[in-house]
């Protein structure tokens, strides 16, 4: 026979459930409103990309009930947005590849080795984060001119690699410092050298940190309009963010084409984020435990 529940216990249980329901409802309302402020601008851009310029001006907040594809055909035929896509992917992808390679090796050394001057190196790395990118534009541009790398893929890959290397090294080193020393000792017992240990042990285990770094570096490189306008302003190597500034000047009244170009620029970022988003939070939170 089960004991009877007193009236006081029932009242407290009812109040707790009521407070929980109200708090949860309020939380969902706030999160939904915040999500709308983020999602609606993207929907507005995509929706207006299926309208002609006249309808974008007169009925910008109405649904494109009769969508047209003229803006997309114009984007690929007249302003050659496909070529700019390829340029952006080559330069941003190359930047991510070099940052992960050199940043990962540097992080492995800083997190798993003990040597004199290690704290000084960390201090220098943190100090370089305080230097604005604008302060290095002139000397970097002079170096690119002397090495004939202006208006080439390397003219953007190398500066962006150097600019993102400190961030990648610190984040990956913080994550690698949390890996158990017993795992490293077991790899030594199996006959692994340092390179094999990095490739077979530390890189697979640190994939969340590498994924987090890769998406941030790709975003920063992909959206770096300032460097693109200075270092690679030639049409054959121009990335897509630089193409957007050209559209606003050459086709300033064609708002449908501008909306299409913005939508095409954002889509690769969303697709990449959907594939590796599960690693981002894990990489950033676990990498912050030790450092």
């Amino acid at each position: 026979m089960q004991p009877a529940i007193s009236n006081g216990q029932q009242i407290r249980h009812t109040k707790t459930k009521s407070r929980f329901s109200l708090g949860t409802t309020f939380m969902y309302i706030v999160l939904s409103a915040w999500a709308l402020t983020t999602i609606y601008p993207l929907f507005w851009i995509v929706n207006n990309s299926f309208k002609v310029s006249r309808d974008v001006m007169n009925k910008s907040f109405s649904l494109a009930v009769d969508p047209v594809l003229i803006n997309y055909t114009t984007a690929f035929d007249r302003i050659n947005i496909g070529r700019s896509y390829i340029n952006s992917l080559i330069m941003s992808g190359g930047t991510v590849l070099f940052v992960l390679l050199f940043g990962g090796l540097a992080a492995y050394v800083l997190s798993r080795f003990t040597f004199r001057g290690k704290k000084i190196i960390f201090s220098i790395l943190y100090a370089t984060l305080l230097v604005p990118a604008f302060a290095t534009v002139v000397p970097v541009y002079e170096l690119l001119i002397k090495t004939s790398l202006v208006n080439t893929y390397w003219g953007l890959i190398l500066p962006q690699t150097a600019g993102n290397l400190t961030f990648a090294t610190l984040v990956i080193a913080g994550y690698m410092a949390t890996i158990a020393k017993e795992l490293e000792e077991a790899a030594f017992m199996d006959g692994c050298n340092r390179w094999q240990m990095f490739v077979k042990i530390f890189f697979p285990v640190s994939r969340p940190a590498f994924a987090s770094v890769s998406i941030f570096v790709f975003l920063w490189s992909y959206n770096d309009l300032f460097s693109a306008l200075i270092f690679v302003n030639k049409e054959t190597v121009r990335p897509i963010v630089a193409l957007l500034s050209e559209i606003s000047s050459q086709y300033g009244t064609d708002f449908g084409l501008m909306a299409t170009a913005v939508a095409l620029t954002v889509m690769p970022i969303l697709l990449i984020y959907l594939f590796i988003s599960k690693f981002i939070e894990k990489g950033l939170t676990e990498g912050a435990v030790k450092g």
Side-chain angles (χ1 to χ4, degrees), residues 96 100 167 208-223 268-280 284:
V96 171
L100 294 183
F167 165 79
F210 279 91
S212 300
V213 169
S214 65
I215 192 168
F216 280 110
V217 172
F218 186 87
L219 283 172
W220 292 335
S221 174
Y222 189 84
N223 296 322
I269 302 297
L270 294 178
L271 293 176
I272 292 173
Y273 180 82
L274 290 176
F275 279 111
I276 64 175
S277 60
K278 61 182 180 180
F279 297 108
I280 294 177
L284 291 180

Side-chain angles (χ1 to χ4, degrees), residues 57-114:
M57 289 293 296
N58 298 330
K59 298 178 290 184
S60 61
F61 294 99
S62 62
L63 289 175
V65 292
D66 190 16
V68 294
L69 298 177
I70 185 64
N71 295 320
Y72 287 89
T73 57
T74 302
F76 284 96
D77 295 339
R78 198 163 86 190
I79 62 176
N80 199 12
I81 200 171
R83 180 63 186 178
S84 297
Y85 253 133
I86 296 174
N87 294 337
S88 291
L89 294 178
I90 290 174
M91 289 185 279
S92 299
T95 300
V96 171
L97 179 63
F98 284 113
V99 167
L100 294 183
L101 175 61
F102 296 121
L105 292 173
Y108 174 60
V109 173
L110 291 174
S111 62
R112 310 307 296 189
F113 290 82
T114 301

Side-chain angles (χ1 to χ4, degrees), residues 11-266:
I11 293 172
R12 285 196 298 270
H13 178 71
T14 303
K15 289 183 178 180
T16 303
K17 185 176 180 181
S18 177
R19 286 198 300 268
F20 177 77
S21 299
L22 290 175
T24 304
T25 303
F26 178 75
M27 180 183 67
Y28 276 108
I29 291 174
V30 172
L31 291 177
S32 299
W34 179 58
L36 286 176
T37 62
T38 305
I39 297 173
Y40 182 75
L42 178 61
F43 169 77
W44 186 86
I45 287 292
V46 174
N47 181 58
N48 283 318
S49 68
F50 292 100
K51 302 177 184 177
V52 295
S53 181
R54 181 183 63 257
D55 291 339
V56 175
M57 289 293 296
N58 298 330
K59 298 178 290 184
S60 61
F61 294 99
S62 62
L63 289 175
V65 292
D66 190 16
V68 294
L69 298 177
I70 185 64
N71 295 320
Y72 287 89
T73 57
T74 302
F76 284 96
D77 295 339
R78 198 163 86 190
I79 62 176
N80 199 12
I81 200 171
R83 180 63 186 178
S84 297
Y85 253 133
I86 296 174
N87 294 337
S88 291
L89 294 178
I90 290 174
M91 289 185 279
S92 299
T95 300
V96 171
L97 179 63
F98 284 113
V99 167
L100 294 183
L101 175 61
F102 296 121
L105 292 173
Y108 174 60
V109 173
L110 291 174
S111 62
R112 310 307 296 189
F113 290 82
T114 301
F115 52 89
R116 297 177 63 180
K118 180 178 177 179
K119 291 184 178 179
I120 297 176
I121 293 176
F122 269 111
S123 300
I124 294 173
L125 289 176
Y126 283 114
T128 57
L129 294 176
L130 303 177
V131 179
F134 304 101
T136 63
V137 169
V138 174
V140 169
Y141 190 64
E142 290 182 354
L143 287 174
L144 294 178
I145 291 176
K146 291 179 180 179
T147 54
S148 301
L149 293 178
V150 177
N151 289 323
T152 65
Y153 290 142
W154 292 108
L156 195 62
I157 292 175
L158 293 179
Q160 289 184 343
T161 299
N164 291 298
L165 202 55
T166 299
F167 165 79
T169 302
L170 293 175
V171 172
I172 299 174
Y175 192 95
M176 286 185 175
T178 65
I179 299 175
K181 191 173 181 61
E182 290 76 12
L183 188 63
E184 188 176 3
E185 294 173 349
F188 266 124
M189 295 295 293
D190 291 337
C192 289
N193 57 35
R194 288 294 182 182
W195 173 254
Q196 290 173 333
M197 190 179 302
F198 173 76
V199 174
K200 297 181 179 180
I201 305 296
F202 283 88
F203 177 74
V205 175
S206 303
R207 280 184 299 177
F210 279 91
S212 300
V213 169
S214 65
I215 192 168
F216 280 110
V217 172
F218 186 87
L219 283 172
W220 292 335
S221 174
Y222 189 84
N223 296 322
D224 190 1
L225 176 61
F226 182 75
S227 298
L229 292 177
I230 296 176
F231 301 144
V232 285
N233 54 12
K234 193 175 179 180
E235 185 176 354
T236 55
V237 293
R238 181 177 56 194
I240 195 167
V241 289
L243 181 65
L244 290 179
S245 65
E246 293 290 330
I247 294 174
S248 61
S249 59
Q250 294 183 13
Y251 309 100
T253 57
D254 197 340
F255 294 100
L257 180 60
M258 293 174 64
T260 301
V262 173
L264 290 174
T265 302
V266 173

